[in-house]
Amino acid sequence: MLVVVIGASGFLGQHVLELLHSRWTAEDDVIRAFDLKPFRKRLDYDERLRMEIIVGSVCSFIDVRTAVQGADVVFHLASVISYGTSPDYEAMRGVNIEGTKNVINACKEAGVKKLIYTSSINVVLHDGGDIVDGDESLPTPPSSFIFPGYGHTKSEAERLVLNANDKSLRTLSLRLTPMYGEGDYQVIPQAIKPVLGYVVQPSVPEESKCQYTYVGNAAWAHLVAHQSLDKDGEKAAGEAYFVLDDTPLSNTNRFFQHFIREMSLRICPFQIPMGILYVFTLFLQLITLCFSPFVRINLTPSPNMLKAISRVLTFTDRKAQKVLGYKPLYTFEESLRRSENGEELRSLFEDDKVLKCLSKNKLIHNKASISSSGIVCVFVVAFDTKAGNIIEWQEPNDIDLKGIEFKALCSGAHTLKTDFVYFRHGNFFGLACFEKLSVSNELERGARMKSVGILSANYNSLYEHLPFLTEQVSFALTLPSSYDALEKFYHERKCVIENEEINGLAIEVVSHPSNCVEMFIKFFAEKLFVIWKFALLQKRILFFSPPPIGDVCYRGTTEKIFELKSELYDLYVDNQNIRTSSHSLSDIAKPTPADTMRLNQLYEARNGLIDENQSEMDIFTNFFTKCNNKILHTLLNLANSEEKSITADHITSMGLHPQGDRSFLMELIETYGVDVVLIADNPCCPT
């Protein structure tokens, strides 16, 4: 039997293939993985069945016809999900509707017997009230979708699949809730990502409820559906089924707390008021609408996302249990344990000095166990005179590097001969070395420019590879298309990399990220604490950093034009010139006498370094952690007291200036929704 999985490289597809290899009974069957990128398994399991890999798009009928040729059963998982303030309607229609048409037509032409479609609860989510124990009798499409683009396209695709059911092609649809588990780089990792050591949550209504499903159980439902079509195809076919498991029903905050607790993270005692957050997202939506004629900007969360998490949205899978015989394969405890071992959660916090957790855990990548200093990807970026910055080569191919070509080859680099840059890409940290070579080739306009870079799970280990990358970028310029050394480098360093002494670097080059701490402190002096205050207030800070990037103590945009776009930032940092775009924040942008005292304390902490195993980065991080805790704990204690009043003595005890930091403290109280009152000690005689 030939089993085709369309969308095999995705979050759900990885788990479907894992279960096909581990739970499929016929060992002589063949699995054909079809996706836009070559399939690379990202879960830890033994490949028991023979695999065929086909690269193509569901938007191409020829590609789909090739993929399903000779298949007995097709799992159609491919989909585009686009929420946010400016969803990509064109992409969703192209893949979700037109792509599904191609799958159906190709299956009928090829004589495929069974087609199992992955749908979503979004096909019934209306922009109205609650849904309690919703079942398959809910109308689809509803009068209005809460997520119009995604809900509409999935509803239409489901209708096409179910209408295609006949004696020659048995079809059914599985409606899935939002999923969590290994391979999830979006939902859980982004929801529990800490800010200044704390996970900040919105103040969702306590009575609201959401329904999540472990991805392994969702994948298991696909195999159960296939077996049901084999046993009782006439009864099971042509129907839609909700798929759930025993993940507890709760509001989003309580659900995410399962992971927060198990990951030893700390929840911020102050939640963002939902009303403020909703108004803010409406503002973001208005901004994206204004820019839509020129560029599509999709930001999250959106107002509709806030609506969804504020409602009761629960369903029942009684029909799937009765007709398909579906029962979850994993309990909630097993699901939680398997999810917490996923590399996505681990990599988010490997380098978080505030949290100091997960240092002993290891990541799973392509069946090899790698440490927090392991290499995730190696790549080459080049400048093409017609296409601009392009990714010329990468290893492995399953890592999404979209946008990295602009991080590794910065604007303004053409004015330099060599440079290097540290950056963040998704859940990973990167280092790239740039070089320009003068050539006589007119097609290259007299210059060939490339960057050779790496992605790692840990920021502090990147500097170890700077000499190698510097050497390799020179080779890439003189010997194009020769990547043997880079391939060998990647495969040898997926595991632990020992610290090696690096020679031959100029003393003034900041080769290790933590080596720039002293330079950073001396450069900004008291103004460092202005930046800290804006960060604590969750304001947008834009750093302007002209080339060269590698030799400065901070990284930022290389485009000076952004200075004129004041609507994009709250604080603009151009070397030692710091200014705010908001009149209400102007007082906060000025250092206070308390900042001078705090700077001296930071110098004393650094000069008092005794433990040789403690780095300057540790001192820097611990110092600001104490500053944050002093303020937040004081506010929390006052909020729980009867008086709830902040006096000048309280402000001083926080390490702030009673007069100079009043505006900052007022903004902080409003930002975190703290129930306290800031009083004036001398209202008649203002200072």
Side-chain angles (χ1 to χ4, degrees):
M1 178 183 292
L2 175 60
V3 181
V4 175
V5 181
I6 299 177
S9 296
F11 176 31
L12 177 61
Q14 292 281 344
H15 287 264
V16 169
L17 261 74
E18 177 189 19
L19 290 177
L20 286 172
H21 281 291
S22 61
R23 298 276 177 170
W24 203 256
T25 54
E27 295 188 4
D28 57 343
D29 287 350
V30 179
I31 302 173
R32 182 178 291 165
F34 176 71
D35 212 317
L36 284 170
K37 293 183 178 181
F39 175 79
R40 296 283 186 90
K41 77 183 182 78
R42 293 163 56 184
L43 303 176
D44 191 23
Y45 60 87
D46 294 326
E47 294 186 356
R48 191 168 56 89
L49 304 181
R50 186 162 67 87
M51 287 278 297
E52 294 179 0
I53 298 174
I54 295 183
V55 177
S57 169
V58 292
C59 296
S60 167
F61 177 74
I62 296 176
D63 289 351
V64 177
R65 183 174 59 185
T66 302
V68 304
Q69 196 67 38
D72 295 280
V73 58
V74 172
F75 294 103
H76 178 23
L77 318 178
S79 179
V80 169
I81 303 174
S82 183
Y83 294 150
T85 56
S86 182
D88 194 338
Y89 294 105
E90 183 177 350
M92 285 190 286
R93 179 167 185 81
V95 172
N96 300 351
I97 297 179
E98 299 304 322
T100 299
K101 288 180 181 178
N102 288 336
V103 172
I104 294 170
N105 293 333
C107 285
K108 285 186 173 293
E109 182 178 308
V112 176
K113 298 176 182 177
K114 287 160 284 186
L115 171 60
I116 297 166
Y117 176 66
T118 305
S119 187
S120 165
I121 61 170
N122 279 273
V123 302
V124 297
L125 290 189
H126 52 79
D127 190 14
D130 298 337
I131 298 177
V132 180
D133 289 337
D135 60 19
E136 290 76 7
S137 65
L138 288 170
T140 180
S143 56
S144 60
F145 289 99
I146 192 167
F147 298 110
Y150 184 61
H152 167 72
T153 56
K154 292 297 286 186
S155 175
E156 177 63 17
E158 181 183 85
R159 185 187 67 80
L160 292 170
V161 169
L162 298 182
N163 286 346
N165 177 66
D166 55 30
K167 291 183 179 180
S168 61
L169 176 64
R170 297 295 191 186
T171 69
L172 61 76
S173 176
L174 300 178
R175 296 175 177 174
L176 306 184
T177 70
M179 296 176 290
Y180 64 95
E182 315 94 290
D184 170 23
Y185 284 93
Q186 296 296 325
V187 179
I188 304 299
Q190 295 305 316
I192 68 174
K193 188 174 182 179
V195 177
L196 299 175
Y198 288 89
V199 178
V200 182
Q201 296 186 310
S203 58
V204 298
E206 188 65 29
E207 66 276 7
S208 64
K209 283 184 173 59
C210 63
Q211 198 142 22
Y212 287 86
T213 304
Y214 174 57
V215 63
N217 287 325
W220 174 242
H222 287 71
L223 272 67
V224 172
H226 165 262
Q227 294 171 352
S228 180
L229 288 177
D230 264 348
K231 295 177 182 178
D232 194 1
E234 189 171 343
K235 182 178 179 182
E239 298 288 335
Y241 303 88
F242 287 110
V243 173
L244 312 169
D245 60 13
D246 61 351
T247 300
L249 292 175
S250 62
N251 64 38
T252 53
N253 285 355
R254 291 189 180 277
F255 172 73
F256 293 138
Q257 285 169 15
H258 290 294
F259 299 89
I260 295 171
R261 182 172 57 252
E262 293 299 326
M263 301 293 289
S264 301
L265 306 179
R266 296 181 294 177
I267 301 176
C268 179
F270 316 115
Q271 295 182 340
I272 305 176
M274 191 62 94
I276 295 176
L277 193 57
Y278 186 75
V279 171
F280 178 67
T281 58
L282 283 175
F283 173 72
L284 291 181
Q285 196 164 47
L286 179 62
I287 293 296
T288 57
L289 182 63
C290 293
F291 279 94
S292 59
F294 313 103
V295 63
R296 191 181 67 83
I297 305 173
N298 192 33
L299 304 174
T300 57
S302 68
N304 284 348
M305 293 172 73
L306 297 181
K307 285 182 185 179
I309 65 174
S310 300
R311 293 163 53 183
V312 175
L313 298 174
T314 64
F315 301 87
T316 177
D317 62 354
R318 285 189 291 267
K319 181 179 177 181
Q321 294 180 32
K322 181 179 179 180
V323 179
L324 303 181
Y326 164 74
K327 291 182 179 179
L329 183 62
Y330 305 99
T331 66
F332 175 62
E333 290 72 23
E334 291 172 319
S335 302
L336 202 60
R337 184 172 62 253
R338 290 168 63 90
S339 300
E340 288 153 5
N341 288 330
E343 63 177 88
E344 310 74 27
L345 295 180
R346 299 299 175 198
S347 61
L348 271 179
F349 313 116
E350 282 291 332
D351 194 46
D352 197 314
K353 297 292 184 179
V354 178
L355 302 175
K356 294 183 179 298
C357 64
L358 311 178
S359 59
K360 296 182 181 180
N361 291 293
K362 295 191 175 182
L363 307 178
I364 302 298
H365 182 71
N366 286 349
K367 205 177 177 180
S369 180
I370 66 176
S371 75
S372 60
S373 60
I375 301 300
V376 175
C377 184
V378 183
F379 60 89
V380 177
V381 169
F383 176 77
D384 184 274
T385 54
K386 294 182 179 179
N389 294 5
I390 61 171
I391 300 173
E392 183 179 277
W393 174 87
Q394 72 175 89
E395 179 67 22
N397 290 320
D398 61 324
I399 300 295
D400 185 6
L401 297 184
K402 184 179 180 180
I404 209 168
E405 62 270 30
F406 304 107
K407 300 175 183 177
L409 225 169
C410 301
S411 174
H414 65 281
T415 62
L416 306 169
K417 180 173 175 58
T418 61
D419 199 4
F420 64 94
V421 60
Y422 292 96
F423 57 91
R424 183 75 182 264
H425 186 74
N427 299 325
F428 302 113
F429 305 95
L431 169 64
C433 290
F434 162 82
E435 187 172 337
K436 180 177 71 173
L437 177 68
S438 297
V439 294
S440 57
N441 188 341
E442 293 183 0
L443 293 176
E444 295 177 289
R445 299 178 185 173
R448 183 180 300 157
M449 295 180 286
K450 292 188 179 182
S451 278
V452 174
I454 58 174
L455 288 181
S456 172
N458 186 276
Y459 188 50
N460 286 338
S461 67
L462 290 174
Y463 81 103
E464 300 172 7
H465 314 296
L466 184 60
F468 173 79
L469 296 178
T470 303
E471 176 186 71
Q472 287 302 308
V473 70
S474 296
F475 289 156
L477 287 168
T478 55
L479 299 172
S481 303
S482 178
Y483 310 119
D484 292 347
L486 292 174
E487 286 184 347
K488 182 179 179 182
F489 172 85
Y490 169 72
H491 289 290
E492 288 180 349
R493 287 164 174 78
K494 288 189 292 183
C495 297
V496 178
I497 303 171
E498 300 294 335
N499 290 330
E500 299 176 356
E501 184 177 354
I502 299 176
N503 299 314
L505 294 178
I507 294 176
E508 66 272 18
V509 174
V510 183
S511 60
H512 188 293
S514 65
N515 288 348
C516 71
V517 171
E518 180 182 4
M519 188 189 304
F520 192 84
I521 296 172
K522 289 182 177 179
F523 185 81
F524 286 109
E526 293 91 347
K527 294 179 180 179
L528 171 64
F529 298 97
V530 172
I531 299 172
W532 164 67
K533 291 172 189 175
F534 273 75
L536 203 58
L537 293 175
Q538 303 178 23
K539 300 300 181 182
R540 301 164 301 168
I541 304 173
L542 178 63
F543 286 84
F544 171 66
S545 177
I549 301 295
D551 295 341
V552 298
C553 63
Y554 63 93
R555 325 292 176 207
T557 178
T558 58
E559 298 285 0
K560 185 71 172 176
I561 192 173
F562 282 109
E563 182 180 7
L564 304 176
K565 301 181 181 296
S566 59
E567 70 277 5
L568 300 180
Y569 61 84
D570 300 301
L571 188 71
Y572 184 80
V573 181
D574 180 356
N575 292 319
Q576 292 171 320
N577 299 316
I578 297 179
R579 66 178 180 82
T580 178
S581 59
S582 171
H583 178 72
S584 63
L585 300 175
S586 58
D587 289 340
I588 306 174
K590 302 172 185 176
T592 69
D595 294 331
T596 303
M597 293 179 58
R598 196 180 287 107
L599 178 64
N600 293 330
Q601 293 169 0
L602 180 55
Y603 277 130
E604 290 174 5
R606 178 183 170 276
N607 295 334
L609 181 63
I610 298 176
D611 184 0
E612 62 183 11
N613 294 321
Q614 191 176 27
S615 67
E616 285 193 335
M617 182 67 82
D618 291 328
I619 293 292
F620 189 76
T621 303
N622 291 336
F623 179 86
F624 279 97
T625 299
K626 290 178 181 178
C627 292
N628 296 341
N629 289 341
K630 186 183 294 185
I631 295 173
L632 294 174
H633 289 167
T634 301
L635 291 176
L636 180 61
N637 291 335
L638 288 171
N640 292 327
S641 68
E642 294 182 0
E643 291 292 332
K644 299 185 183 296
S645 300
I646 303 179
T647 65
D649 290 338
H650 291 132
I651 298 175
T652 303
S653 70
M654 298 181 203
L656 303 175
H657 192 268
Q659 285 78 40
D661 284 317
R662 286 183 67 85
S663 296
F664 163 68
L665 198 53
M666 291 175 66
E667 284 282 341
L668 191 70
I669 292 169
E670 183 176 348
T671 298
Y672 292 96
V674 188
D675 185 20
V676 293
V677 178
L678 182 60
I679 64 173
D681 287 342
N682 298 296
C684 297
C685 305
T687 302

